[in-house]
Amino acid sequence: MDQIPAVLVDGIFYAAWLFVAAVGMTLIYGVMKIVNLTHGSFYALGAYAAASLTGAWLAKGYPPMLSYAVLLGSAVLVSVIVAPLIERGILRFMYTKDEVVILLITYALFLILEDTIKLIWGVDPYFIAEPYGLLGSFDVGDLSYPTYNLILVGIAIASGVGLTLMLRGTRIGKLLLTVIHDPEVSRAMGINVDRFYLVTFTFGSMLAAIGGAFTAPTVSVVPGLGVEIIVLSFAVVVIGGLGSLPGAALGAVIVGLVRSATIHYAPEVELFVIYFVMALVLAFRPRGLFSLAEPRKI
Amino acid sequence: MAVVLDARDLNKHFGAITAAMNINVAIEQDSVVGLIGTNGAGKTTFINMITGYIKPDTGSIVYQGRDITALSPREITRAGICRSFQIPQLYASLSVFEHMMVGLGVVLRNAGLDGYFSRKRPNVPGHDAPAEEVAERILERFGLASYRDKNAQVLPGGVRKLLDIALTMVAKPTILLLDEPTSGVSAEEKFGIMDMVMSAVKAEGATVLFVEHDMEVVSRFAQRVIAFYDGRIIADAAPEIALTDPEVKRYVVGGALHRLDEQQGAANA
Amino acid sequence: MSRDRTLPILGAVLLAVVLAGPLLPQWALFLVTIAIAKGLVALGLMLLLRAGLVSFGQALYYCIGAYTAGSVGKFFHVGDMLMQMLAGAAAAALVAFILGFLLARYRGIFFGLLSLALSMILYGLLAKNEALGSTDGFNVLPSTVLGIRPTEAWVRYVVVAVGCGVALLATALVYRYLKTPLGQLAPAIKDNEIRVEYMGTSVRNAIHVLYVIAAALSGIGGALAATTVGHIDPDMAYWTTSGEFIFITILAGTGSVVAPFLGAAIFGIIHTVAFDLSPNTWQMSLGTVLLLVIVFLPDGLWSLFTRRKAA
């Protein structure tokens, strides 16, 4: 029982990471009604871009405290370049196809991007551990955690709150809600749905890239980084409900806490319990715990 | 004449909307009944309750002595009540012939005559011939033989309607429910299609209920007319009587005019 | 979709393989066996695809088949190929029968995601299971066939020959099935489920049956793969493995029972050639081919051989 604080803290950190990594997927599904597998690619792109740019920054002797901005900047940069290429160049022509077909198309793109990353960055691991250790650590009870982890929590909260405020409070947000509910009618009313799709796809991918970028200092950045993220994001997004922001937050917290608990108490089930929860939700509440998506179920 | 379908005290509400109130209808075997009424009057709700798509709030439906109120559409079809659809429900990628084969296949399967291991083709129950022959026969009767190998997607509207109705015949239904068989069909074709449908159907010996908006079609083909309004039955008689009934004229045949008349009357008073 | 010459053609091709087998190099025999194994999985996926369902987790049954074959060898010392394949098929079919009650109620993306989740559950279970080797998996006994153990030089060939025989049998059974009323129901289910219900048959039951058949086929494929690779590990249940099967099925199309094997063969060729040329770009080649097929040949490569019914 004395492990509970550790379980909670680990769980929250994991949840924050999951939220940032997965929220882009639910955003893109909610607006564009597509399940996007290139999500994993952007996560990896963010990590690699962050690794090289931040690595170069630190190597040149620039202020290490600004490396966090570089992490963020590299994620933004890489997504702003690549996402529009994908959306305008390929996806745009596919929206009339069946949702499963579009998913397969994003799968094909994911495969292509995986190797593109290998071509650009090679297969050797990248390490940029410095930002991770730079901020020192803090104590919870007799456990010590890197203060760095709080950055991810901060980003999670900022993006969650920011997106919610934007959707509810701003004019753009309201227009986005109409696009979500009915793209055809929105188009007929003169809303530039294509531009909304482009921006949504870019922004959603950017969030994935940011997730990857801020994970980079905590791991060795290697090919295949994006592969696991895809299924984990599915789990988070499905549990919360496809297309729902509060759902993604709830899903992240649930998966985070469950994983943390299993690691501490029952490590043998760690890998499968998350997918078990996902399957349970799909079986009993396919719409997720909050949801906009209508499951096609007979 | 024996009563083959007996709907008793059917009531159905969707929130504040009364879709059916105290509906009592007894359908006799081999009769041809026309159901009329404006949109939202309750005709489709009535059909949907019979075919099991929706369940009445109260009341029961008895078919050949058996209570079918709670059965699913699938079970009701198997029992012998088949329906066609206002918008033809077809299989876009299959040909006309394949449509019939799929339907006949279902009949074979339900009778346990799947034929996985058997070499010869079994006779379809009720038709006494193998599936391919029965298919050709039905297509012939509905004038669809020339469209045999065309995909459903490319068929003209009237032909789609005929195919939709032809599909209902594969299971040799006891009762046939036709939902607006001539809607979406051009004026010249209407009678022709109804003629073809009725002769094909009567040759199989089925009881027919059909929903129609075209009063000429109704008066020509129905032996009995049931008129719906606001979820209730306002007339139930032979066509000559039902169609000239003042309430029917007011609420079904010339409903919109009536409202205008009233406003005029009020303005002039 | 059935051309009456497809089965004899497949039979002829497989016979040619068996006859030429002794002359082929070991690596070629290995590739052929893997193509047959994956082709069987894709055959199952094709059956589901005809009904409009895409399973993102077929690797579940492939893995069950493989681990059953391996376990039957490891724990019960049964090295007979045919027994292993039978056991693999049975285990897969049993699991599919149970899971089918749940899955037959879903369509579209949700069917896909649920099947994915189920396969990842197996992955998670196996990866942490010490008795089964965790992420390392374990080796599979060298094969025997009907009590005879082939010598080192002949093992691969025997496996190929048996594989060809099993593939032909399975395909013939599926072909026969597709001519039955239930088999012909799939395209109708895909186009208009409600109409099918109104014809008087249960769509859910039909899909349940399809699901079990597809699982059994995948189980056989997994067992065959286990035998020929000689090693099994949890990656066989990972989502990327399911992705490969989907790729093969899309590539092949639903036009014929032979198409999945063609797709698997082409996949094997692309994989080998692309990997040899440049190990870091083979996934890109795969992705590009998949994209091109989806966009330009949505009915798969097989549609190149047949004329679609014109208007």
Side-chain angles (χ1 to χ4, degrees):
Chain A
M1 286 303 114
D2 50 318
Q3 295 201 49
I4 291 187
V7 170
L8 284 175
V9 176
D10 274 339
I12 297 296
F13 286 147
Y14 195 59
W17 172 70
L18 277 172
F19 179 76
V20 175
V23 71
M25 185 183 266
T26 211
L27 183 67
I28 290 176
Y29 184 87
V31 175
M32 301 165 75
K33 306 294 182 288
I34 70 178
V35 176
N36 170 36
L37 265 67
T38 62
H39 191 77
S41 310
F42 281 98
Y43 179 84
L45 277 169
Y48 271 97
S52 356
L53 289 176
T54 315
W57 176 271
L58 293 170
K60 290 222 166 86
Y62 293 134
M65 283 312 272
L66 287 181
S67 64
Y68 303 102
V70 180
L71 287 175
L72 185 63
S74 33
V76 170
L77 186 67
V78 79
S79 42
V80 159
I81 295 175
V82 180
L85 276 175
I86 293 179
E87 202 274 335
R88 290 283 97 188
I90 299 173
L91 281 181
R92 166 165 68 122
F93 304 107
M94 310 293 172
Y95 293 140
T96 50
K97 295 190 192 280
D98 180 71
E99 56 179 1
V100 174
V101 174
I102 298 182
L103 185 153
L104 293 173
I105 290 175
T106 63
Y107 174 58
L109 290 169
F110 164 75
L111 291 173
I112 295 175
L113 285 169
E114 280 285 280
D115 278 359
T116 312
I117 291 177
K118 280 191 213 167
L119 285 176
I120 299 178
W121 278 281
V123 294
D124 296 323
Y126 282 74
F127 299 100
I128 43 153
E130 203 176 324
Y132 190 42
L134 206 55
L135 298 173
S137 57
F138 67 100
D139 291 335
V140 174
D142 44 332
L143 293 160
S144 194
Y145 293 96
T147 314
Y148 180 83
N149 291 355
L150 292 175
I151 293 190
L152 218 46
V153 175
I155 294 182
I157 297 177
S159 47
V161 169
L163 279 170
T164 313
L165 283 178
M166 187 212 63
L167 274 178
R168 304 258 176 87
T170 66
R171 188 175 150 271
I172 301 256
K174 299 221 164 72
L175 288 177
L176 193 63
L177 284 173
T178 58
V179 171
I180 290 176
H181 278 119
D182 198 325
E184 261 190 71
V185 169
S186 303
R187 240 184 268 265
M189 294 200 306
I191 297 177
N192 192 337
V193 173
D194 290 340
R195 199 183 306 156
F196 271 101
Y197 280 1
L198 174 61
V199 171
T200 304
F201 189 79
T202 306
F203 194 64
S205 304
M206 191 186 297
L207 287 167
I210 291 176
F214 280 89
T215 307
T218 69
V219 296
S220 62
V221 179
V222 289
L225 202 59
V227 171
E228 213 213 340
I229 266 295
I230 290 178
V231 261
L232 276 179
S233 300
F234 272 160
V236 167
V237 160
V238 161
I239 291 172
L242 278 165
S244 160
L245 274 184
L250 183 63
V253 167
I254 290 177
V255 174
L257 288 174
V258 164
R259 179 178 179 265
S260 183
T262 55
I263 287 184
H264 285 261
Y265 298 122
E268 330 76 62
V269 302
E270 180 220 332
L271 275 182
F272 94 87
V273 74
I274 293 168
Y275 303 108
F276 185 66
V277 174
M278 178 183 173
L280 276 180
V281 171
L282 278 170
F284 293 107
R285 282 204 68 166
R287 306 177 60 153
L289 301 173
F290 299 81
S291 171
L292 296 178
E294 275 303 320
R296 274 195 61 209
K297 178 187 194 254
I298 301 281
Chain B
M1 278 257 100
V3 167
V4 66
L5 183 72
D6 196 0
R8 301 171 184 160
D9 297 320
L10 295 179
N11 282 284
K12 183 71 185 175
H13 296 260
F14 294 107
I17 299 173
T18 307
M21 184 172 335
N22 296 331
I23 302 288
N24 276 286
V25 175
I27 307 286
E28 284 155 0
Q29 197 145 4
D30 291 336
S31 56
V32 179
V33 181
L35 305 174
I36 63 176
T38 55
N39 288 324
K43 324 180 288 299
T44 310
T45 306
F46 178 63
I47 291 197
N48 284 339
M49 285 192 286
I50 295 179
T51 52
Y53 188 61
I54 56 180
K55 307 282 174 262
D57 296 333
T58 61
S60 66
I61 303 170
V62 176
Y63 165 67
Q64 291 184 331
R66 183 179 155 201
D67 187 327
I68 61 168
T69 327
L71 295 185
S72 68
R74 170 175 28 106
E75 290 162 316
I76 290 181
T77 304
R78 285 182 73 161
I81 301 179
C82 298
R83 76 169 284 178
S84 73
F85 297 83
Q86 190 180 327
I87 299 175
Q89 294 298 312
L90 305 173
Y91 305 118
S93 60
L94 298 182
S95 73
V96 170
F97 184 70
E98 282 168 341
H99 274 72
M100 304 307 295
M101 290 303 288
V102 169
L104 289 165
V106 169
V107 175
L108 280 171
R109 181 148 180 264
N110 287 343
L113 296 167
D114 273 71
Y116 187 84
F117 295 108
S118 63
R119 290 209 138 247
K120 56 182 173 69
R121 289 158 6 213
N123 281 355
V124 182
H127 292 277
D128 298 322
E132 290 82 355
E133 267 183 56
V134 178
E136 304 278 8
R137 206 188 282 168
I138 298 183
L139 289 182
E140 196 62 55
R141 267 216 209 102
F142 279 84
L144 295 170
S146 56
Y147 293 96
R148 186 190 189 279
D149 293 316
K150 301 253 194 281
N151 268 14
Q153 272 176 319
V154 305
L155 299 174
V159 177
R160 293 169 66 85
K161 260 281 147 80
L162 283 173
L163 180 56
D164 188 65
I165 297 173
L167 267 180
T168 63
M169 302 298 298
V170 299
K172 274 220 123 114
T174 311
I175 299 183
L176 202 44
L177 293 164
L178 305 176
D179 196 349
E180 299 195 33
T182 67
S183 81
V185 171
S186 60
E188 313 93 61
E189 293 182 294
K190 275 188 192 248
F191 277 12
I193 289 195
M194 258 330 246
D195 269 330
M196 190 166 305
V197 170
M198 282 301 157
S199 59
V201 164
K202 287 326 258 173
E204 301 285 340
T207 309
V208 181
L209 276 77
F210 67 96
V211 172
E212 252 306 332
H213 282 298
D214 188 323
M215 296 307 147
E216 286 185 32
V217 171
V218 173
S219 55
R220 164 116 165 225
F221 292 97
Q223 299 163 347
R224 172 183 170 194
V225 171
I226 301 178
F228 287 79
Y229 179 71
D230 203 25
R232 271 165 279 133
I233 294 180
I234 58 173
D236 184 352
E240 319 79 68
I241 304 170
L243 290 174
T244 52
D245 177 293
E247 281 228 320
V248 172
K249 275 164 77 160
R250 184 193 287 176
Y251 292 121
V252 180
V253 185
L257 292 174
H258 163 72
R259 272 190 279 283
L260 280 177
D261 282 345
E262 269 190 346
Q263 285 170 4
Q264 279 286 13
N268 291 337
Chain C
M1 80 157 246
S2 34
R3 299 267 175 271
D4 288 315
R5 282 170 289 126
T6 50
L7 271 193
I9 291 181
L10 178 65
V13 169
L14 292 177
L15 187 63
V17 168
V18 170
L19 290 176
L23 305 169
L24 292 173
Q26 293 285 305
W27 60 262
L29 291 175
F30 176 75
L31 283 180
V32 169
T33 318
I34 293 291
I36 292 177
K38 294 192 176 168
L40 282 168
V41 180
L43 184 61
L45 267 179
M46 187 190 85
L47 288 178
L48 286 171
L49 195 60
R50 281 179 81 238
L53 295 168
V54 183
S55 165
F56 299 162
Q58 205 61 7
L60 171 66
Y61 299 108
Y62 179 72
C63 188
I64 288 178
Y67 268 75
T68 307
S71 305
V72 153
K74 180 171 173 166
F75 300 115
F76 299 101
H77 307 293
V78 174
D80 184 270
M81 260 188 86
L82 294 168
M83 286 299 295
Q84 288 178 343
M85 284 195 269
L86 204 59
L94 180 63
V95 174
F97 178 71
I98 299 171
L99 292 177
F101 285 105
L102 179 63
L103 273 163
R105 297 199 259 141
Y106 293 79
R107 306 287 183 270
I109 290 275
F110 288 87
F111 180 84
L113 287 175
L114 185 52
S115 58
L116 174 71
L118 294 168
S119 69
M120 289 303 292
I121 289 176
L122 181 67
Y123 172 79
L125 281 171
L126 290 173
K128 293 274 179 175
N129 188 311
E130 300 285 329
L132 293 173
S134 301
T135 49
D136 293 326
F138 59 90
N139 288 333
V140 176
L141 279 187
S143 343
T144 65
V145 179
L146 300 173
I148 311 166
R149 163 157 306 160
T151 59
E152 187 71 38
W154 283 96
V155 166
R156 278 267 146 79
Y157 175 71
V158 168
V159 168
V160 165
V162 173
C164 284
V166 168
L168 189 60
L169 180 63
T171 309
L173 288 173
V174 168
Y175 183 75
R176 190 65 231 250
Y177 162 82
L178 287 173
K179 291 195 177 270
T180 65
L182 187 55
Q184 295 186 326
L185 212 49
I189 291 178
K190 178 180 178 192
D191 283 341
N192 197 332
E193 255 188 68
I194 299 194
R195 193 40 151 133
V196 175
E197 286 278 330
Y198 272 92
M199 279 182 153
T201 193
S202 165
V203 170
R204 211 189 278 188
N205 278 358
I207 289 184
H208 199 162
V209 170
L210 272 176
Y211 187 67
V212 172
I213 296 177
L217 287 168
S218 306
I220 298 176
L224 184 60
T227 306
T228 200
V229 173
H231 180 84
I232 54 179
D233 60 55
D235 274 344
M236 293 176 101
Y238 205 65
W239 74 269
T240 46
T241 307
S242 293
E244 273 185 23
F245 296 135
I246 292 180
F247 174 86
I248 292 175
T249 313
I250 301 280
L251 188 64
T254 56
S256 158
V257 289
V258 171
F261 296 101
L262 181 65
I266 294 181
F267 173 81
I269 294 174
I270 294 179
H271 184 195
T272 312
V273 170
F275 199 83
D276 275 347
L277 279 180
S278 166
N280 291 333
T281 57
W282 89 269
Q283 274 184 303
M284 188 183 280
S285 318
L286 210 63
T288 313
V289 172
L290 184 60
L291 202 55
L292 290 173
V293 169
I294 291 178
V295 174
F296 296 112
L297 275 180
D299 290 322
L301 290 178
W302 196 260
S303 61
L304 288 175
F305 297 125
T306 59
R307 296 261 164 272
R308 282 303 299 181
K309 271 193 285 271

